[in-house]
Amino acid sequence: MLIIFSRAMKDSGRAAGTALHCRFADSAMAANESDNVVTTNKLMIILRKFDQEGSGTISRSQFEQILRTVLRASSNSDEILYKEEVDEFWAYFSKREDGDVEKSDLVDWILKPSTPLMLTESGNLAFFDLKSALQPLFQAYNQNGDGFICLQEFMDAHGILQIALRMNPTAEEEDPPVLRGDLHNCFVHIGDADKRLTFEKFVRWQRLALIQSALSPDSMTRLLKNVAKQIQRVFKLTSEKHCELTESDRLVLIRILSHLAQFSRELWGAGHFASKGKTFFENKWIPPFVGMNVDHLKEVFLHDFNYSRMRFSAKIVKRDWDILCIPGLPGRHQDWLARARLKNTLRSARFDDEQGKQEEDQLEEGHIREVVDEQCYIFDREHFTWALAEESLFEKALEALSPEVKLFAILKTMANFGQRLSWPQLQLALSQAVQLDVISQVQLGKCNDKLEEWVLKGMDAEGFWCTRETLTKVREDLHTSPSQIMGIFAEIGAFAVTSIWADFMDTEK
């Protein structure tokens, strides 16, 4: 599997991050040092009750008592603390002659992210369930889901991380030690020459690898999920590509590996690497729900439409729909939202009788008027229908979408969540994208030029001579898909291909 996508990769450059303003950096450092002092003082106060003799040190038995007391108080944790694990934790410390450790050393240890203890915002000690945080990463390595990582699975997943680092080098720091070296030797070292790597051994390996990280437990949990998700994306993108990757797939894969390199350095590095200058979009693409249908949305809208705004004698001569469906903001449950806008073009029934079937552009001014109505909706998964929603809910979700996801949502809405777009539908969708400032008119033109180029190449391959009239006729019968259009916009450089493309491009397969 590694051969498939490594063969398709090219060297990619990395833009250097901009330097921070010195005064800002000094202020931030001072604030950070102040926070560390407060945190240290809180921990020293908490540890006093375990040091009943007031010696200022912690013994092996007191250390185990601290771990088990905090574990019992953490009712949400499913972790079981084994004596062997306590011994491993205890072995980390430098001991005094009497075998105890300084309380200050224990405080420093607690502040490290991969240790089982953490200080909550309320100022209490809590148990950090690293095992639960590592589950997504273990599952990404364990591709067949049997609960064990075999050598080939390890080489595939860990190899992806190594390739990501090699393709995205940085002068800021060396690659994390956990991601260096021969894959086979690394697997043997972790598994003690076993043929399969258990979850317990995987956790011990990662606990040691993460001990030097400068991340908070929350940040570590988030990054572990991100790394696991990117590995799964690589597997998913390449699993069906036994030959060459398409250009759009290759661009997506390059960006995924770029993100993997960044996440890996943040997670397993020494804490000096951080993301710089990256725009963060809170909202992400999710697969449309079962039962979602644009035609049904139109029916619901017409049922809710305020017909009192239309004269009784008016006749509807044209209806123009402007509909956009997007994922709602992430939360406990991520919903789908929609905005439906309908412009009714009306003509006086009296005037219509007088003029008969005269063309609309020949009608006198004052006999034609437009009525526009707009509503926002949320999809009710329980009843498979659309319900009215606040406009602010839709606007916030739309603002939190990246430009490329907005464009894909426009295309999918126009295709009624299918994979087929006619030429007229495509032009309507692209015009809507221009109105929303997702793409420019120039980019729209480049997309159409590229599609015409495809038509010409196809006709030339079939031996047909193509005139402008023939091209126009063939183009009008053209059908494409949202993913193909996204590939064109990536090719013309309208968007930087990011790893989130894998989320929506997968829905097209």
Side-chain angles (χ1 to χ4, degrees):
M1 193 280 298
L2 294 177
I3 297 176
I4 296 173
F5 73 83
S6 62
R7 186 175 62 235
M9 297 295 96
K10 296 179 181 179
D11 292 336
S12 58
R14 291 180 58 88
T18 56
L20 292 174
H21 193 282
C22 293
R23 186 164 53 190
F24 172 79
D26 291 341
S27 299
M29 186 177 298
N32 187 53
E33 290 175 354
S34 176
D35 289 342
N36 288 340
V37 170
V38 172
T39 300
T40 299
N41 290 339
K42 287 181 179 179
L43 285 173
M44 292 295 284
I45 293 173
I46 292 172
L47 294 177
R48 281 178 190 169
K49 65 179 181 180
F50 296 98
D51 179 23
Q52 296 179 353
E53 300 173 356
S55 63
T57 61
I58 298 293
S59 67
R60 166 65 173 74
S61 60
Q62 289 172 330
F63 176 69
E64 183 171 354
Q65 181 189 2
I66 293 171
L67 292 176
R68 297 195 181 281
T69 300
V70 176
L71 177 59
R72 283 194 299 269
S74 302
S75 57
N76 293 330
S77 175
D78 296 327
E79 184 152 348
I80 299 174
L81 190 64
Y82 295 99
K83 180 181 180 300
E84 293 78 7
E85 291 180 299
V86 178
D87 291 338
E88 286 183 11
F89 298 148
W90 186 247
Y92 173 83
F93 299 102
S94 298
K95 314 296 191 301
R96 290 160 33 104
E97 290 184 3
D98 59 3
D100 292 351
V101 299
E102 297 290 345
K103 198 181 298 183
S104 57
D105 290 342
L106 179 58
V107 168
D108 292 340
W109 181 78
I110 292 173
L111 293 176
K112 294 182 181 296
S114 69
T115 59
L117 299 178
M118 64 179 182
L119 187 67
T120 65
E121 293 182 358
S122 59
N124 298 316
L125 268 183
F127 199 87
F128 173 43
D129 194 350
L130 182 63
K131 288 184 178 179
S132 295
L134 284 169
Q135 275 288 353
L137 186 62
F138 181 81
Q139 292 167 1
Y141 274 68
N142 179 215
Q143 282 296 299
N144 65 7
D146 65 353
F148 300 93
I149 300 174
C150 68
L151 175 60
Q152 188 58 53
E153 288 176 327
F154 181 85
M155 293 181 70
D156 282 346
H158 211 63
I160 289 172
L161 298 178
Q162 289 189 344
I163 288 175
L165 293 175
R166 285 200 297 268
M167 288 188 59
N168 299 274
T170 175
E172 297 177 32
E173 62 173 292
E174 294 183 352
D175 290 339
V178 71
L179 297 177
R180 299 182 209 157
D182 179 75
L183 291 171
H184 183 272
N185 291 340
C186 183
F187 179 81
V188 171
H189 174 72
I190 301 167
D192 298 326
D194 290 345
K195 294 183 179 180
R196 299 187 300 177
L197 183 62
T198 65
F199 180 60
E200 287 71 23
K201 290 181 179 178
F202 184 83
V203 171
R204 292 179 186 178
W205 169 53
Q206 282 298 316
R207 195 185 293 279
L208 292 174
L210 294 167
I211 198 74
Q212 297 299 330
S213 175
L215 298 169
S216 67
D218 287 343
S219 297
M220 176 178 289
T221 300
R222 175 181 56 80
L223 275 173
L224 284 168
K225 288 181 180 178
N226 285 340
V227 169
K229 190 173 183 179
Q230 305 303 327
I231 293 174
Q232 296 282 22
R233 282 172 168 167
V234 174
F235 282 133
K236 196 168 187 178
L237 193 62
T238 58
S239 61
E240 298 177 358
K241 304 292 180 179
H242 301 295
C243 300
E244 295 292 329
L245 295 171
T246 65
E247 181 65 14
S248 60
D249 286 337
R250 190 186 71 83
L251 291 173
V252 171
L253 191 54
I254 287 175
R255 182 54 61 179
I256 292 175
L257 294 176
S258 173
H259 284 198
L260 261 178
Q262 174 188 313
F263 294 154
S264 298
R265 291 187 174 103
E266 289 185 47
L267 187 58
W268 290 292
H272 307 298
F273 186 87
S275 0
K276 302 179 180 70
K278 183 180 175 182
T279 304
F280 175 74
F281 293 98
E282 182 184 357
N283 204 358
K284 307 296 181 185
W285 179 265
I286 58 172
F289 300 142
V290 175
M292 283 177 53
N293 186 285
V294 174
D295 292 333
H296 177 58
L297 175 60
K298 291 179 180 179
E299 293 174 0
V300 174
F301 181 93
L302 291 174
H303 181 270
D304 298 332
F305 186 76
N306 183 11
Y307 286 94
S308 64
R309 300 172 58 194
M310 299 170 58
R311 294 175 184 173
F312 180 74
S313 60
K315 178 180 179 180
I316 299 175
V317 295
K318 188 179 180 184
R319 270 182 174 158
D320 294 306
W321 289 95
D322 184 354
I323 296 176
L324 177 57
C325 301
I326 61 173
L329 286 171
R332 192 167 62 90
H333 298 295
Q334 191 170 4
D335 296 304
W336 267 87
L337 306 171
R339 182 182 62 198
R341 183 184 294 119
L342 175 61
K343 181 175 72 174
N344 283 302
T345 304
L346 308 177
R347 181 168 58 194
S348 168
R350 178 186 59 80
F351 186 79
D352 184 55
D353 292 338
E354 293 174 357
Q355 298 294 325
K357 295 182 180 180
Q358 192 172 8
E359 294 295 328
E360 290 179 23
D361 56 358
Q362 297 176 330
L363 295 176
E364 298 178 9
E365 186 177 358
H367 295 282
I368 291 290
R369 69 188 187 93
E370 295 175 347
V371 175
V372 180
D373 200 9
E374 179 180 311
Q375 295 285 3
C376 291
Y377 294 87
I378 185 170
F379 188 73
D380 184 347
R381 282 180 276 181
E382 184 178 354
H383 299 98
F384 301 101
T385 190
W386 297 90
L388 287 172
E390 294 291 334
E391 182 182 357
S392 59
L393 193 66
F394 179 90
E395 292 298 335
K396 289 178 181 178
L398 181 63
E399 185 179 351
L401 282 174
S402 64
E404 58 267 38
V405 178
K406 287 180 184 177
L407 177 59
F408 189 72
I410 292 170
L411 295 170
K412 289 296 283 186
T413 301
M414 188 61 68
N416 199 6
F417 303 107
Q419 300 181 18
R420 195 171 164 84
L421 278 170
S422 67
W423 178 264
Q425 287 177 323
L426 175 62
Q427 298 312 304
L428 286 173
L430 295 182
S431 296
Q432 186 181 9
V434 171
Q435 292 172 4
L436 291 173
D437 293 325
V438 176
I439 61 173
S440 67
Q441 191 67 44
V442 173
Q443 291 168 338
L444 186 156
K446 288 182 178 181
C447 176
N448 287 340
D449 290 343
K450 181 64 67 174
L451 287 169
E452 289 187 355
E453 181 183 330
W454 287 357
V455 171
L456 288 172
K457 285 183 179 180
M459 295 188 70
D460 183 63
E462 295 293 331
F464 293 105
W465 175 258
C466 185
T467 64
R468 168 54 60 179
E469 182 180 354
T470 305
L471 175 61
T472 301
K473 185 177 180 180
V474 173
R475 187 188 63 184
E476 293 299 321
D477 294 330
L478 175 70
H479 283 82
T480 183
S481 69
S483 62
Q484 287 178 326
I485 300 304
M486 294 302 298
I488 290 177
F489 278 97
E491 188 176 343
I492 66 176
F495 304 115
V497 181
T498 65
S499 59
I500 61 176
W501 281 53
D503 286 338
F504 55 76
M505 294 295 271
D506 286 341
T507 65
E508 293 289 277
K509 298 176 182 178

